Amino acid sequence: MRARTIPSLALDSYQRAARTVLSHHLITRTYPDRIALPLVRRWATELREDMLEMFGYRLEVTETTARLYPVLDRLDPTQPARTASDRVFDRRRYSFLALSLAALGRAGDQITLSELADHVAAEAGRVVGVDLDTERAADRDAFVDAVGWLSARGAITLADGDAGGWASNPDAGEALYDIDRSVVVALFRPPRAVQHLRSAAGLLADPTDDSRRARRALVERPVVYLTDATLDPASIDDVRLLTGLAVERRAEGVALIDTSGRLSDTRFPSTGTVAQVALLLAGEIADRVLDPDVEDGRTVEAPADRTAELIDALDSAIPDGSVFDSLADDLADDESEDDADDIEPGRHPFLADEWIDDTVGALVDAYGRTFAAQWQSDRLGVRRAAVRLLTDLSLVAPVRGGIVALPALARYRGVVVTVREHATIQLFPPSGIGQSEFQEFTP
């Protein structure tokens, strides 16, 4: 492991480079910022060796890009592509993103937004279930979201015009983009061609590589429970040394604690209505689980990993009698079952949907005036979003009729709430006249 040979005075720099690579699989001259690429290039040789040895990841570094090619142990729905406004990509946006990349790979040094849309529309017409009609505002918005995702990562750079203007009125608006071919090439280089796969299981790593699986789990998941992976002390220490993060060990599992926020894709606790409601809900769940006076102490098994279910769903969508049949490889050896599935899952406290609804309702009643406007009248929406966030963080798991509280949630017990009150300033002080007759504002 090359991290062990780094001088102590330079170790912090190396660890920052490692965290940058692990949190941003694509690094360009402008993404995620202008200092990331020079930092990674400085440690390119050492990082390349450590990423391969510890995780089985391949790192390619050039003058203009650094690209980490990870391997997957399971299908993970918690890290979707997002728009500039933090909306999750849907199927249409993913389709437009893939088709835009293909079109940019065949384009010259520049392209207008309308030209790119024409290329994508032409290709979309050849794919069943995908269609781009620039006359439809919803299609234009989805296409601009995909283009914005590429622009944020430096694959294209706005040279003139405005994409928003084109989305509002394609006859009056236009945008011109410079194409960075090195970024376009780095963005999509899958380890296996999709046409050569009989099953989505072929996208996953070798399930017998236990040591690398454990290390990958530590840097990819919020918490690793011992029912999900076998963690040995040496692997934990290697990851700690590489990332520079603190390790929290408990009887149920291990978590890397990222106080800097430079490795986490989702910070928690955090600001915003959903994150704050999720934190309050976590505290309420922990209090209920630990309350000795609660009569209904029901426990259930945590749900099994859904990877096999998701693979079956994806495989069912593979078209019959197409290029998949003529080019497919026999990947039976790669599709063996994960040994971890044989581990007997533990039992955890169960919280019924009715209790969750009542608790979130009480939180809305108590603190709703501090929520963002969109959530103040949407109790069901904020409840779903908060539970989804706790699920993504491996703090709870959904089951039939409710959720189960997972062990890591206990670290958020005893949540203390402080509501900041804005001072009210009066434009004119009252002098014997009713307070309601004077205008007020809150700074």
PDB file of all heavy atoms in Angstrom, residues 76-106:
ATOM      1  N   ASP A  76     -27.192   0.039  -6.700  1.00  0.00           N
ATOM      2  CA  ASP A  76     -27.410   1.024  -5.643  1.00  0.00           C
ATOM      3  C   ASP A  76     -28.286   2.155  -6.164  1.00  0.00           C
ATOM      4  O   ASP A  76     -27.854   2.931  -7.018  1.00  0.00           O
ATOM      5  CB  ASP A  76     -26.068   1.580  -5.169  1.00  0.00           C
ATOM      6  CG  ASP A  76     -26.202   2.546  -4.005  1.00  0.00           C
ATOM      7  OD1 ASP A  76     -27.341   2.717  -3.510  1.00  0.00           O
ATOM      8  OD2 ASP A  76     -25.182   3.119  -3.588  1.00  0.00           O
ATOM      9  N   PRO A  77     -29.525   2.289  -5.661  1.00  0.00           N
ATOM     10  CA  PRO A  77     -30.410   3.354  -6.135  1.00  0.00           C
ATOM     11  C   PRO A  77     -30.231   4.677  -5.395  1.00  0.00           C
ATOM     12  O   PRO A  77     -30.988   5.609  -5.612  1.00  0.00           O
ATOM     13  CB  PRO A  77     -31.808   2.773  -5.862  1.00  0.00           C
ATOM     14  CG  PRO A  77     -31.615   1.952  -4.624  1.00  0.00           C
ATOM     15  CD  PRO A  77     -30.215   1.396  -4.707  1.00  0.00           C
ATOM     16  N   THR A  78     -29.228   4.770  -4.500  1.00  0.00           N
ATOM     17  CA  THR A  78     -29.108   5.963  -3.650  1.00  0.00           C
ATOM     18  C   THR A  78     -28.192   7.033  -4.231  1.00  0.00           C
ATOM     19  O   THR A  78     -27.996   8.067  -3.594  1.00  0.00           O
ATOM     20  CB  THR A  78     -28.582   5.579  -2.256  1.00  0.00           C
ATOM     21  OG1 THR A  78     -27.216   5.103  -2.367  1.00  0.00           O
ATOM     22  CG2 THR A  78     -29.449   4.493  -1.632  1.00  0.00           C
ATOM     23  N   GLN A  79     -27.623   6.814  -5.399  1.00  0.00           N
ATOM     24  CA  GLN A  79     -26.710   7.796  -5.970  1.00  0.00           C
ATOM     25  C   GLN A  79     -27.104   8.142  -7.411  1.00  0.00           C
ATOM     26  O   GLN A  79     -26.344   7.926  -8.350  1.00  0.00           O
ATOM     27  CB  GLN A  79     -25.267   7.275  -5.931  1.00  0.00           C
ATOM     28  CG  GLN A  79     -24.769   6.941  -4.543  1.00  0.00           C
ATOM     29  CD  GLN A  79     -23.324   6.477  -4.545  1.00  0.00           C
ATOM     30  OE1 GLN A  79     -22.459   7.078  -5.169  1.00  0.00           O
ATOM     31  NE2 GLN A  79     -23.063   5.390  -3.847  1.00  0.00           N
ATOM     32  N   PRO A  80     -28.274   8.687  -7.608  1.00  0.00           N
ATOM     33  CA  PRO A  80     -28.714   9.005  -8.970  1.00  0.00           C
ATOM     34  C   PRO A  80     -28.076  10.277  -9.486  1.00  0.00           C
ATOM     35  O   PRO A  80     -27.522  11.076  -8.714  1.00  0.00           O
ATOM     36  CB  PRO A  80     -30.217   9.190  -8.787  1.00  0.00           C
ATOM     37  CG  PRO A  80     -30.339   9.758  -7.397  1.00  0.00           C
ATOM     38  CD  PRO A  80     -29.272   9.063  -6.594  1.00  0.00           C
ATOM     39  N   ALA A  81     -28.133  10.475 -10.791  1.00  0.00           N
ATOM     40  CA  ALA A  81     -27.775  11.772 -11.365  1.00  0.00           C
ATOM     41  C   ALA A  81     -28.850  12.781 -10.973  1.00  0.00           C
ATOM     42  O   ALA A  81     -30.022  12.433 -10.834  1.00  0.00           O
ATOM     43  CB  ALA A  81     -27.671  11.664 -12.888  1.00  0.00           C
ATOM     44  N   ARG A  82     -28.435  14.022 -10.773  1.00  0.00           N
ATOM     45  CA  ARG A  82     -29.363  15.063 -10.349  1.00  0.00           C
ATOM     46  C   ARG A  82     -29.233  16.295 -11.229  1.00  0.00           C
ATOM     47  O   ARG A  82     -28.163  16.567 -11.779  1.00  0.00           O
ATOM     48  CB  ARG A  82     -29.110  15.453  -8.887  1.00  0.00           C
ATOM     49  CG  ARG A  82     -29.362  14.310  -7.903  1.00  0.00           C
ATOM     50  CD  ARG A  82     -29.110  14.735  -6.471  1.00  0.00           C
ATOM     51  NE  ARG A  82     -29.348  13.651  -5.517  1.00  0.00           N
ATOM     52  CZ  ARG A  82     -30.525  13.379  -4.972  1.00  0.00           C
ATOM     53  NH1 ARG A  82     -31.570  14.145  -5.267  1.00  0.00           N
ATOM     54  NH2 ARG A  82     -30.672  12.385  -4.132  1.00  0.00           N
ATOM     55  N   THR A  83     -30.311  17.032 -11.320  1.00  0.00           N
ATOM     56  CA  THR A  83     -30.312  18.268 -12.085  1.00  0.00           C
ATOM     57  C   THR A  83     -29.668  19.376 -11.262  1.00  0.00           C
ATOM     58  O   THR A  83     -29.327  19.201 -10.087  1.00  0.00           O
ATOM     59  CB  THR A  83     -31.741  18.680 -12.453  1.00  0.00           C
ATOM     60  OG1 THR A  83     -32.447  19.052 -11.248  1.00  0.00           O
ATOM     61  CG2 THR A  83     -32.487  17.532 -13.110  1.00  0.00           C
ATOM     62  N   ALA A  84     -29.514  20.550 -11.882  1.00  0.00           N
ATOM     63  CA  ALA A  84     -28.936  21.687 -11.169  1.00  0.00           C
ATOM     64  C   ALA A  84     -29.794  22.098  -9.983  1.00  0.00           C
ATOM     65  O   ALA A  84     -29.283  22.650  -8.998  1.00  0.00           O
ATOM     66  CB  ALA A  84     -28.772  22.861 -12.125  1.00  0.00           C
ATOM     67  N   SER A  85     -31.086  21.810 -10.037  1.00  0.00           N
ATOM     68  CA  SER A  85     -31.992  22.126  -8.925  1.00  0.00           C
ATOM     69  C   SER A  85     -32.178  20.942  -7.990  1.00  0.00           C
ATOM     70  O   SER A  85     -33.105  20.927  -7.184  1.00  0.00           O
ATOM     71  CB  SER A  85     -33.352  22.577  -9.466  1.00  0.00           C
ATOM     72  OG  SER A  85     -33.929  21.561 -10.287  1.00  0.00           O
ATOM     73  N   ASP A  86     -31.295  19.927  -8.100  1.00  0.00           N
ATOM     74  CA  ASP A  86     -31.257  18.772  -7.206  1.00  0.00           C
ATOM     75  C   ASP A  86     -32.427  17.814  -7.410  1.00  0.00           C
ATOM     76  O   ASP A  86     -32.741  17.031  -6.534  1.00  0.00           O
ATOM     77  CB  ASP A  86     -31.207  19.220  -5.738  1.00  0.00           C
ATOM     78  CG  ASP A  86     -30.560  18.160  -4.846  1.00  0.00           C
ATOM     79  OD1 ASP A  86     -29.616  17.510  -5.298  1.00  0.00           O
ATOM     80  OD2 ASP A  86     -31.019  17.993  -3.702  1.00  0.00           O
ATOM     81  N   ARG A  87     -33.051  17.842  -8.577  1.00  0.00           N
ATOM     82  CA  ARG A  87     -34.068  16.846  -8.879  1.00  0.00           C
ATOM     83  C   ARG A  87     -33.402  15.595  -9.438  1.00  0.00           C
ATOM     84  O   ARG A  87     -32.444  15.675 -10.218  1.00  0.00           O
ATOM     85  CB  ARG A  87     -35.077  17.379  -9.891  1.00  0.00           C
ATOM     86  CG  ARG A  87     -36.040  18.412  -9.338  1.00  0.00           C
ATOM     87  CD  ARG A  87     -37.206  18.605 -10.278  1.00  0.00           C
ATOM     88  NE  ARG A  87     -36.767  18.956 -11.621  1.00  0.00           N
ATOM     89  CZ  ARG A  87     -37.536  18.918 -12.698  1.00  0.00           C
ATOM     90  NH1 ARG A  87     -38.784  18.509 -12.600  1.00  0.00           N
ATOM     91  NH2 ARG A  87     -37.061  19.282 -13.866  1.00  0.00           N
ATOM     92  N   VAL A  88     -33.928  14.433  -9.044  1.00  0.00           N
ATOM     93  CA  VAL A  88     -33.360  13.169  -9.494  1.00  0.00           C
ATOM     94  C   VAL A  88     -33.703  12.927 -10.968  1.00  0.00           C
ATOM     95  O   VAL A  88     -34.835  13.172 -11.400  1.00  0.00           O
ATOM     96  CB  VAL A  88     -33.888  12.016  -8.619  1.00  0.00           C
ATOM     97  CG1 VAL A  88     -33.443  10.672  -9.163  1.00  0.00           C
ATOM     98  CG2 VAL A  88     -33.424  12.195  -7.179  1.00  0.00           C
ATOM     99  N   PHE A  89     -32.734  12.455 -11.735  1.00  0.00           N
ATOM    100  CA  PHE A  89     -32.982  12.117 -13.131  1.00  0.00           C
ATOM    101  C   PHE A  89     -34.017  11.006 -13.234  1.00  0.00           C
ATOM    102  O   PHE A  89     -33.987  10.039 -12.461  1.00  0.00           O
ATOM    103  CB  PHE A  89     -31.685  11.646 -13.797  1.00  0.00           C
ATOM    104  CG  PHE A  89     -30.902  12.747 -14.455  1.00  0.00           C
ATOM    105  CD1 PHE A  89     -30.849  14.012 -13.910  1.00  0.00           C
ATOM    106  CD2 PHE A  89     -30.196  12.512 -15.628  1.00  0.00           C
ATOM    107  CE1 PHE A  89     -30.123  15.020 -14.513  1.00  0.00           C
ATOM    108  CE2 PHE A  89     -29.468  13.505 -16.242  1.00  0.00           C
ATOM    109  CZ  PHE A  89     -29.432  14.771 -15.686  1.00  0.00           C
ATOM    110  N   ASP A  90     -34.901  11.144 -14.211  1.00  0.00           N
ATOM    111  CA  ASP A  90     -35.825  10.062 -14.516  1.00  0.00           C
ATOM    112  C   ASP A  90     -35.316   9.323 -15.754  1.00  0.00           C
ATOM    113  O   ASP A  90     -34.241   9.605 -16.284  1.00  0.00           O
ATOM    114  CB  ASP A  90     -37.241  10.603 -14.736  1.00  0.00           C
ATOM    115  CG  ASP A  90     -37.287  11.704 -15.789  1.00  0.00           C
ATOM    116  OD1 ASP A  90     -36.295  11.873 -16.530  1.00  0.00           O
ATOM    117  OD2 ASP A  90     -38.305  12.412 -15.864  1.00  0.00           O
ATOM    118  N   ARG A  91     -36.105   8.348 -16.221  1.00  0.00           N
ATOM    119  CA  ARG A  91     -35.675   7.525 -17.356  1.00  0.00           C
ATOM    120  C   ARG A  91     -35.422   8.371 -18.603  1.00  0.00           C
ATOM    121  O   ARG A  91     -34.465   8.133 -19.349  1.00  0.00           O
ATOM    122  CB  ARG A  91     -36.747   6.471 -17.643  1.00  0.00           C
ATOM    123  CG  ARG A  91     -36.427   5.543 -18.798  1.00  0.00           C
ATOM    124  CD  ARG A  91     -37.534   4.504 -18.959  1.00  0.00           C
ATOM    125  NE  ARG A  91     -37.234   3.565 -20.018  1.00  0.00           N
ATOM    126  CZ  ARG A  91     -37.554   3.751 -21.296  1.00  0.00           C
ATOM    127  NH1 ARG A  91     -38.176   4.867 -21.657  1.00  0.00           N
ATOM    128  NH2 ARG A  91     -37.253   2.842 -22.207  1.00  0.00           N
ATOM    129  N   ARG A  92     -36.277   9.360 -18.829  1.00  0.00           N
ATOM    130  CA  ARG A  92     -36.134  10.188 -20.020  1.00  0.00           C
ATOM    131  C   ARG A  92     -34.835  10.982 -19.980  1.00  0.00           C
ATOM    132  O   ARG A  92     -34.119  11.069 -20.985  1.00  0.00           O
ATOM    133  CB  ARG A  92     -37.333  11.133 -20.131  1.00  0.00           C
ATOM    134  CG  ARG A  92     -37.257  12.110 -21.289  1.00  0.00           C
ATOM    135  CD  ARG A  92     -38.589  12.792 -21.525  1.00  0.00           C
ATOM    136  NE  ARG A  92     -39.190  13.328 -20.309  1.00  0.00           N
ATOM    137  CZ  ARG A  92     -40.359  13.951 -20.285  1.00  0.00           C
ATOM    138  NH1 ARG A  92     -41.069  14.061 -21.384  1.00  0.00           N
ATOM    139  NH2 ARG A  92     -40.839  14.425 -19.156  1.00  0.00           N
ATOM    140  N   ARG A  93     -34.492  11.549 -18.828  1.00  0.00           N
ATOM    141  CA  ARG A  93     -33.266  12.341 -18.722  1.00  0.00           C
ATOM    142  C   ARG A  93     -32.023  11.471 -18.883  1.00  0.00           C
ATOM    143  O   ARG A  93     -31.041  11.892 -19.504  1.00  0.00           O
ATOM    144  CB  ARG A  93     -33.250  13.094 -17.389  1.00  0.00           C
ATOM    145  CG  ARG A  93     -34.187  14.301 -17.384  1.00  0.00           C
ATOM    146  CD  ARG A  93     -34.416  14.881 -16.014  1.00  0.00           C
ATOM    147  NE  ARG A  93     -35.174  16.132 -16.078  1.00  0.00           N
ATOM    148  CZ  ARG A  93     -36.474  16.217 -16.239  1.00  0.00           C
ATOM    149  NH1 ARG A  93     -37.193  15.102 -16.338  1.00  0.00           N
ATOM    150  NH2 ARG A  93     -37.079  17.387 -16.307  1.00  0.00           N
ATOM    151  N   TYR A  94     -32.062  10.273 -18.316  1.00  0.00           N
ATOM    152  CA  TYR A  94     -30.934   9.365 -18.518  1.00  0.00           C
ATOM    153  C   TYR A  94     -30.779   9.017 -20.002  1.00  0.00           C
ATOM    154  O   TYR A  94     -29.653   8.935 -20.524  1.00  0.00           O
ATOM    155  CB  TYR A  94     -31.138   8.088 -17.704  1.00  0.00           C
ATOM    156  CG  TYR A  94     -30.744   8.187 -16.253  1.00  0.00           C
ATOM    157  CD1 TYR A  94     -31.667   7.956 -15.245  1.00  0.00           C
ATOM    158  CD2 TYR A  94     -29.438   8.502 -15.885  1.00  0.00           C
ATOM    159  CE1 TYR A  94     -31.310   8.031 -13.906  1.00  0.00           C
ATOM    160  CE2 TYR A  94     -29.072   8.586 -14.547  1.00  0.00           C
ATOM    161  CZ  TYR A  94     -30.006   8.353 -13.562  1.00  0.00           C
ATOM    162  OH  TYR A  94     -29.644   8.437 -12.240  1.00  0.00           O
ATOM    163  N   SER A  95     -31.886   8.802 -20.674  1.00  0.00           N
ATOM    164  CA  SER A  95     -31.834   8.466 -22.100  1.00  0.00           C
ATOM    165  C   SER A  95     -31.235   9.625 -22.893  1.00  0.00           C
ATOM    166  O   SER A  95     -30.361   9.422 -23.753  1.00  0.00           O
ATOM    167  CB  SER A  95     -33.237   8.137 -22.614  1.00  0.00           C
ATOM    168  OG  SER A  95     -33.791   7.041 -21.935  1.00  0.00           O
ATOM    169  N   PHE A  96     -31.694  10.848 -22.624  1.00  0.00           N
ATOM    170  CA  PHE A  96     -31.164  12.008 -23.339  1.00  0.00           C
ATOM    171  C   PHE A  96     -29.687  12.218 -23.025  1.00  0.00           C
ATOM    172  O   PHE A  96     -28.915  12.647 -23.895  1.00  0.00           O
ATOM    173  CB  PHE A  96     -31.956  13.257 -22.967  1.00  0.00           C
ATOM    174  CG  PHE A  96     -33.389  13.244 -23.458  1.00  0.00           C
ATOM    175  CD1 PHE A  96     -34.325  14.135 -22.944  1.00  0.00           C
ATOM    176  CD2 PHE A  96     -33.804  12.341 -24.425  1.00  0.00           C
ATOM    177  CE1 PHE A  96     -35.641  14.128 -23.393  1.00  0.00           C
ATOM    178  CE2 PHE A  96     -35.111  12.324 -24.884  1.00  0.00           C
ATOM    179  CZ  PHE A  96     -36.035  13.215 -24.359  1.00  0.00           C
ATOM    180  N   LEU A  97     -29.274  11.922 -21.798  1.00  0.00           N
ATOM    181  CA  LEU A  97     -27.865  12.064 -21.436  1.00  0.00           C
ATOM    182  C   LEU A  97     -26.995  11.099 -22.234  1.00  0.00           C
ATOM    183  O   LEU A  97     -25.957  11.483 -22.796  1.00  0.00           O
ATOM    184  CB  LEU A  97     -27.698  11.814 -19.931  1.00  0.00           C
ATOM    185  CG  LEU A  97     -26.272  11.821 -19.387  1.00  0.00           C
ATOM    186  CD1 LEU A  97     -25.595  13.153 -19.644  1.00  0.00           C
ATOM    187  CD2 LEU A  97     -26.272  11.497 -17.890  1.00  0.00           C
ATOM    188  N   ALA A  98     -27.421   9.832 -22.318  1.00  0.00           N
ATOM    189  CA  ALA A  98     -26.648   8.847 -23.064  1.00  0.00           C
ATOM    190  C   ALA A  98     -26.593   9.186 -24.553  1.00  0.00           C
ATOM    191  O   ALA A  98     -25.532   9.098 -25.196  1.00  0.00           O
ATOM    192  CB  ALA A  98     -27.259   7.457 -22.858  1.00  0.00           C
ATOM    193  N   LEU A  99     -27.715   9.600 -25.119  1.00  0.00           N
ATOM    194  CA  LEU A  99     -27.751   9.941 -26.537  1.00  0.00           C
ATOM    195  C   LEU A  99     -26.966  11.217 -26.817  1.00  0.00           C
ATOM    196  O   LEU A  99     -26.345  11.352 -27.892  1.00  0.00           O
ATOM    197  CB  LEU A  99     -29.200  10.089 -26.996  1.00  0.00           C
ATOM    198  CG  LEU A  99     -30.033   8.796 -26.968  1.00  0.00           C
ATOM    199  CD1 LEU A  99     -31.489   9.086 -27.295  1.00  0.00           C
ATOM    200  CD2 LEU A  99     -29.460   7.765 -27.925  1.00  0.00           C
ATOM    201  N   SER A 100     -26.951  12.148 -25.882  1.00  0.00           N
ATOM    202  CA  SER A 100     -26.155  13.371 -26.060  1.00  0.00           C
ATOM    203  C   SER A 100     -24.667  13.046 -26.065  1.00  0.00           C
ATOM    204  O   SER A 100     -23.900  13.595 -26.867  1.00  0.00           O
ATOM    205  CB  SER A 100     -26.465  14.372 -24.942  1.00  0.00           C
ATOM    206  OG  SER A 100     -27.796  14.828 -25.008  1.00  0.00           O
ATOM    207  N   LEU A 101     -24.245  12.154 -25.183  1.00  0.00           N
ATOM    208  CA  LEU A 101     -22.839  11.749 -25.171  1.00  0.00           C
ATOM    209  C   LEU A 101     -22.445  11.113 -26.499  1.00  0.00           C
ATOM    210  O   LEU A 101     -21.367  11.390 -27.038  1.00  0.00           O
ATOM    211  CB  LEU A 101     -22.607  10.754 -24.037  1.00  0.00           C
ATOM    212  CG  LEU A 101     -22.165  11.314 -22.689  1.00  0.00           C
ATOM    213  CD1 LEU A 101     -22.096  10.199 -21.657  1.00  0.00           C
ATOM    214  CD2 LEU A 101     -20.817  12.009 -22.810  1.00  0.00           C
ATOM    215  N   ALA A 102     -23.316  10.260 -27.024  1.00  0.00           N
ATOM    216  CA  ALA A 102     -23.022   9.631 -28.310  1.00  0.00           C
ATOM    217  C   ALA A 102     -22.918  10.661 -29.418  1.00  0.00           C
ATOM    218  O   ALA A 102     -22.022  10.591 -30.274  1.00  0.00           O
ATOM    219  CB  ALA A 102     -24.102   8.603 -28.632  1.00  0.00           C
ATOM    220  N   ALA A 103     -23.812  11.643 -29.416  1.00  0.00           N
ATOM    221  CA  ALA A 103     -23.782  12.677 -30.449  1.00  0.00           C
ATOM    222  C   ALA A 103     -22.544  13.555 -30.317  1.00  0.00           C
ATOM    223  O   ALA A 103     -21.915  13.922 -31.327  1.00  0.00           O
ATOM    224  CB  ALA A 103     -25.044  13.535 -30.358  1.00  0.00           C
ATOM    225  N   LEU A 104     -22.151  13.900 -29.101  1.00  0.00           N
ATOM    226  CA  LEU A 104     -20.964  14.726 -28.904  1.00  0.00           C
ATOM    227  C   LEU A 104     -19.700  13.997 -29.340  1.00  0.00           C
ATOM    228  O   LEU A 104     -18.742  14.623 -29.814  1.00  0.00           O
ATOM    229  CB  LEU A 104     -20.853  15.135 -27.430  1.00  0.00           C
ATOM    230  CG  LEU A 104     -21.922  16.092 -26.912  1.00  0.00           C
ATOM    231  CD1 LEU A 104     -21.797  16.265 -25.402  1.00  0.00           C
ATOM    232  CD2 LEU A 104     -21.800  17.454 -27.600  1.00  0.00           C
ATOM    233  N   GLY A 105     -19.695  12.676 -29.191  1.00  0.00           N
ATOM    234  CA  GLY A 105     -18.532  11.912 -29.618  1.00  0.00           C
ATOM    235  C   GLY A 105     -18.309  11.950 -31.110  1.00  0.00           C
ATOM    236  O   GLY A 105     -17.176  11.734 -31.583  1.00  0.00           O
ATOM    237  N   ARG A 106     -19.353  12.245 -31.882  1.00  0.00           N
ATOM    238  CA  ARG A 106     -19.220  12.302 -33.346  1.00  0.00           C
ATOM    239  C   ARG A 106     -19.181  13.736 -33.869  1.00  0.00           C
ATOM    240  O   ARG A 106     -19.059  13.942 -35.075  1.00  0.00           O
ATOM    241  CB  ARG A 106     -20.399  11.568 -33.987  1.00  0.00           C
ATOM    242  CG  ARG A 106     -20.475  10.084 -33.651  1.00  0.00           C
ATOM    243  CD  ARG A 106     -21.525   9.387 -34.490  1.00  0.00           C
ATOM    244  NE  ARG A 106     -22.861   9.878 -34.185  1.00  0.00           N
ATOM    245  CZ  ARG A 106     -23.681   9.318 -33.299  1.00  0.00           C
ATOM    246  NH1 ARG A 106     -23.271   8.268 -32.598  1.00  0.00           N
ATOM    247  NH2 ARG A 106     -24.895   9.802 -33.084  1.00  0.00           N
TER     248      ARG A 106
END
